[in-house]
Amino acid sequence: MTDWFQKAYEKEPFMIQTRRYLHQYPELSFQEHHTHQFIVQHLEKLNFEMNDQVGENGIIARIKGQEDGPTIAFRADFDALPIEDLKAVPYKSKIPGVMHACGHDGHTAILLAVAELLHEHQAQLKGDVVLIFQYGEELMPGGAQQMIADNALVGVDRIYGNHLWSGYPTGTIHTRSGPMMAQPDEFNITIHGKGGHGAKPHETIDPIVILAEFILSTQKIVSRTLDPVKQAVISFGKIEAGEADNVIPDFAFCRGTVRTFEPEVQEHVHYKMDKLLQGLALANDITYEFDYVKGYLPVYNHEKPVEHIQNAANALNFRFNKADLMMVGEDFSFYLKARPGAFFLTGCGNHEKNSDWPHHSPYFDIDESAMKYAVSTFMKILESENVLV
């Protein structure tokens, strides 16, 4: 049996160099043209069949096995976020206001290292392996649906994805069968009242007070109208109203997110929010606009692929744990609706290396030694799937 952890360790300098380069030159979702070309140029050196025009900006690379066998796909995303990098490190982002604050630079480095190992060990392949490099994960509608529509999964039997996770310690692998990550919906609401002087509120219809009442009332949707064993989150991330301290404005605006795991819970929250707005409109003589956008599907892992991940982690003597249910969203969920598969988390949190900041923080970083754990897990999954011998 090949020692895949040792092989992954030997790729560590390449992964660190690749990840740090990408970290310095991040690109926003659907704008990843330089990153796309960087990946293509590296894959061109290897023995892969490649299509670099999948969806808007995606890349599919396939390496053929020596015999008939299952076709397994691995996916990495490569877009960044509109966040200012505040870390004091040599590889700090050189692009103002743009940062790899979620680990996608590491995901790309990991999958390129997997590509190199597959190239070097192609003679051991029984089935085919497809590597999916995906754009636009951070911004709805995401890149996954477009890539699937453009035949990214043709011939694929099962698919696996990995996410570096700063909330778990380096050297650990986490996943679970069934639901693991939530559906991240978005909403925008505008309350239209009647503006006027702040000294004469009785002559106005104050949209700020009405919006405040709505925000407070929505918290009761989860705490008082849902079965306590069901999961849901309603959070407000932006509120805008007015320009002066003595003027009641004509309108107030807010936007936020709803996170759920089950369609019936999602519909219940949506319905209750709209009913609250209808009641406020009737009671206060206002009008409103309510734009509710359904997000990515919940990440739902299939049982047998989860077993392959656990077998791989155990064979490598990594610490395997059942992942927590998480209210974050991921468009890997669309691949899992189209094919059996599973998503797993590779711990990259290390307080001594300052890599335990939360995802999407301006101080986010990864423990780069974690990447070899993901690479060796991917390779060991292929052994568990009888694609590598």
Side-chain angles (χ1 to χ4, degrees):
M1 283 288 186
T2 304
D3 185 345
W4 292 117
F5 187 73
Q6 176 62 32
K7 294 292 184 180
Y9 174 76
E10 292 167 5
K11 294 295 179 183
E12 194 168 66
F14 162 76
M15 286 190 284
I16 291 173
Q17 180 184 25
T18 300
R19 182 257 167 172
R20 292 188 177 189
Y21 175 80
L22 294 173
H23 198 84
Q24 291 178 80
Y25 300 99
E27 294 177 298
L28 294 173
S29 306
F30 300 93
Q31 302 175 32
E32 316 94 328
H33 308 298
H34 176 76
T35 307
H36 173 274
Q37 194 56 34
F38 175 87
I39 296 167
V40 168
Q41 287 174 353
H42 192 81
L43 290 172
E44 284 176 341
K45 304 172 187 176
L46 308 175
N47 191 28
F48 282 80
E49 298 176 1
M50 184 168 52
N51 180 354
D52 63 356
Q53 299 296 323
V54 184
E56 287 191 22
N57 207 18
I59 304 159
I60 301 296
R62 179 187 291 263
I63 189 165
K64 294 282 190 178
Q66 306 304 305
E67 304 174 24
D68 289 336
T71 296
I72 305 300
F74 296 149
R75 173 269 209 168
D77 39 18
F78 55 79
D79 56 329
L81 286 155
I83 296 172
E84 188 71 35
D85 192 350
L86 299 183
K87 296 189 303 298
V89 294
Y91 48 87
K92 178 179 177 177
S93 171
K94 297 181 183 293
I95 311 300
V98 184
M99 176 190 172
H100 273 293
C102 203
H104 296 188
D105 49 346
H107 301 167
T108 302
I110 287 164
L111 208 58
L112 287 174
V114 169
E116 289 201 347
L117 288 175
L118 290 171
H119 171 71
E120 293 164 9
H121 297 269
Q122 187 174 7
Q124 294 174 238
L125 278 175
K126 291 173 63 178
D128 295 356
V129 180
V130 174
L131 304 183
I132 299 174
F133 293 87
Q134 184 201 310
Y135 59 94
E137 189 278 330
E138 294 285 4
L139 183 65
M140 288 199 290
Q145 293 181 87
Q146 294 170 308
M147 292 189 70
I148 293 167
D150 213 4
N151 301 320
L153 294 179
V154 169
V156 170
D157 295 301
R158 283 174 293 283
I159 183 166
Y160 294 86
N162 160 71
H163 205 302
L164 295 166
W165 204 254
S166 65
Y168 291 141
T170 300
T172 61
I173 302 295
H174 303 251
T175 191
R176 63 187 294 144
S177 296
M180 187 170 87
M181 293 180 173
Q183 176 158 353
D185 299 344
E186 299 175 358
F187 61 83
N188 299 277
I189 297 169
T190 303
I191 303 289
H192 295 280
K194 178 184 176 183
H197 200 292
K200 297 182 178 182
H202 61 290
E203 296 178 358
T204 72
I205 302 173
D206 191 338
I208 295 177
V209 172
I210 296 165
L211 179 59
E213 184 178 351
F214 171 75
I215 291 171
L216 290 174
S217 296
T218 59
Q219 304 311 303
K220 294 186 291 185
I221 295 174
V222 174
S223 66
R224 288 297 177 268
T225 73
L226 276 181
D227 184 333
V229 302
K230 304 289 186 180
Q231 293 95 4
V233 168
I234 305 172
S235 293
F236 293 81
K238 184 175 184 178
I239 300 173
E240 288 183 346
E243 296 180 358
D245 64 338
N246 62 347
V247 178
I248 292 172
D250 286 316
F251 68 91
F253 170 83
C254 70
R255 68 184 308 173
T257 184
V258 172
R259 306 292 172 115
T260 57
F261 287 101
E262 301 170 56
E264 58 270 25
V265 174
Q266 177 198 52
E267 291 301 327
H268 175 81
V269 172
H270 183 193
Y271 171 78
K272 284 293 188 180
M273 290 176 74
D274 195 39
K275 292 293 284 186
L276 278 175
L277 289 167
Q278 291 177 33
L280 288 168
L282 183 63
N284 297 281
D285 294 322
I286 60 145
T287 60
Y288 66 90
E289 297 161 14
F290 182 26
D291 181 26
Y292 191 98
V293 181
K294 293 183 178 180
Y296 305 151
L297 299 173
V299 171
Y300 193 96
N301 286 330
H302 299 259
E303 186 173 352
K304 190 63 178 179
V306 167
E307 290 179 12
H308 286 304
I309 294 169
Q310 184 170 3
N311 290 341
N314 290 340
L316 291 161
N317 294 315
F318 298 162
R319 184 147 54 96
F320 177 85
N321 293 288
K322 185 178 181 179
D324 299 321
L325 277 172
M326 296 179 173
M327 284 298 184
V328 298
E330 239 288 351
D331 78 342
F332 189 79
S333 56
F334 292 108
Y335 298 109
L336 294 176
K337 184 180 180 182
R339 294 290 187 278
F343 198 59
F344 67 94
L345 305 175
T346 301
C348 68
N350 186 327
H351 186 69
E352 293 181 359
K353 295 184 179 181
N354 207 30
S355 69
D356 55 353
W357 289 91
H359 292 252
H360 295 205
S361 162
Y363 298 98
F364 177 84
D365 206 351
I366 66 170
D367 178 357
E368 292 170 322
S369 69
M371 293 189 286
K372 61 180 174 289
Y373 290 90
V375 170
S376 48
T377 299
F378 273 135
M379 300 304 291
K380 207 69 179 178
I381 286 170
L382 294 177
E383 281 190 0
S384 185
E385 287 272 20
N386 294 314
V387 175
L388 264 177
V389 295

